[in-house]
Each structure stands twice: as C-alpha cells, then as structure tokens.
Amino acid sequence: KDKSGAASALNNIGNVYEKQKQFDKAIEFFNKSLLIKEQMHDKQGMALSYNNIGTAYEEKGDYKRAEELFLKSLIIASEIASLDDIREANYSLSLLYELMKKPEKALLHYKKFITARDSLYNEETTKMWSMLFRGFQKKKAFSVFGEELLLL
C-alpha cells in the first residue's frame, strides 16, 4: 500500500513539473513512479506512466521517444485489456502523429481512440441503467411489501 501511494505521489509531482513546463524534472519523477510500478507488477500503472513520460517527451519536441513510449503504453494496456488506457494511448498517438505530419497514422489512432471511448461510454451507460433499474426494482418491492404490511 505504501509503495502504491509513493508511486502516485511521484506521478503527481511529475504532473506539477510538467504543468510548469519543466519537462526534464517531470520525466525524472514519472520515471521514479514507473520504477515502483514495475516492482509492484502494476501493469495499469505502468501503462499510465509510459503515457505520461511520452507526453513530456512530446512537449519537449522529442517525437521519436514520445512515440516509443506511447506505443509501450498501448501494448501494455492491450495486454491487460484496459480500455481506459487503450483510449488514452491511442489519443496520445493520434495527437503525436498529427504533430509529426503523419495524417494516416493520426487518423488510424484517432479512430481507435473513438472506438475505445464509445465502448467505455456504452459500458458506463449500461452500468448506470442497470443500477437505476435495480434501484427501481428494490423501491417497487419495498413499496409492495410495505403496503402488505399495512394491510396486516
């Protein structure tokens, strides 16, 4: 638990440095977070870290390194079937390829981003409707049961 919290804190520090445009410091802290996630075998955390590090390299203008990291993130996300991380990696790749003037690759990954995004939306919507329906059924059952009690 402590390692997970430390990895999260290091990642957050990296985010602060990135927002301040101190990309080398951001990369340093993202890498520290990644190291802990690797030791913990936290694949989802690793996918997130690779994406964060890739974004910092992209913002530094090192598109080749950013591409390598985004692809690593996508591979790991695909291995663990993490739709949220697949969506993020494809979105990052689509933006990167646009910057690199590679419109075919940008479009390909944008389409994959949209597919993952829509799948997540459908999954979340289905869960929401299911919860609402179950809540309605419980309320209806309670109402019927409550009326029966009143009749006794």
Side-chain angles (χ1 to χ4, degrees), residues 14 18 22-28 30 50-62 66 69-70:
E18 186 176 24
Q22 295 183 44
F23 303 119
D24 290 328
K25 287 296 262 182
I27 291 166
E28 177 187 336
F30 289 146
Y50 282 123
N51 202 66
N52 287 345
I53 298 165
T55 300
Y57 274 104
E58 178 187 307
E59 292 181 280
K60 278 182 62 165
D62 188 344
L69 292 158
F70 290 148

Side-chain angles (χ1 to χ4, degrees), residues 10-126:
L10 291 165
N11 186 70
N12 290 341
I13 293 168
N15 284 329
V16 170
Y17 279 120
E18 186 176 24
K19 286 191 186 339
Q20 294 175 344
K21 309 244 183 271
Q22 295 183 44
F23 303 119
D24 290 328
K25 287 296 262 182
I27 291 166
E28 177 187 336
F29 280 90
F30 289 146
N31 275 316
K32 288 178 181 181
S33 177
L34 174 62
L35 183 62
I36 294 171
K37 291 171 184 176
E38 287 173 337
Q39 291 169 354
M40 295 173 55
H41 305 287
D42 175 3
K43 295 266 190 178
Q44 188 167 17
M46 290 164 59
L48 172 68
S49 289
Y50 282 123
N51 202 66
N52 287 345
I53 298 165
T55 300
Y57 274 104
E58 178 187 307
E59 292 181 280
K60 278 182 62 165
D62 188 344
Y63 296 159
K64 191 67 189 158
R65 184 70 179 129
E67 180 184 28
E68 292 168 5
L69 292 158
F70 290 148
L71 289 170
K72 265 188 170 179
S73 176
L74 181 58
I75 288 166
I76 292 170
S78 298
E79 285 173 358
I80 61 170
S82 173
L83 208 47
D84 196 38
D85 294 308
I86 291 169
R87 179 193 66 191
E88 288 302 312
N90 277 301
Y91 185 68
S92 295
L93 283 162
S94 73
L95 295 177
L96 176 67
Y97 288 132
E98 187 176 348
L99 290 170
M100 295 173 78
K101 308 283 191 248
K102 295 183 177 183
E104 298 84 11
K105 285 187 170 186
L107 181 59
L108 172 72
H109 286 282
Y110 187 74
K111 286 179 178 179
K112 289 180 179 183
F113 156 73
I114 294 296
T115 300
R117 183 199 67 190
D118 290 351
S119 294
L120 278 169
Y121 175 76
N122 289 337
E123 189 177 295
E124 289 169 6
T125 302
T126 301

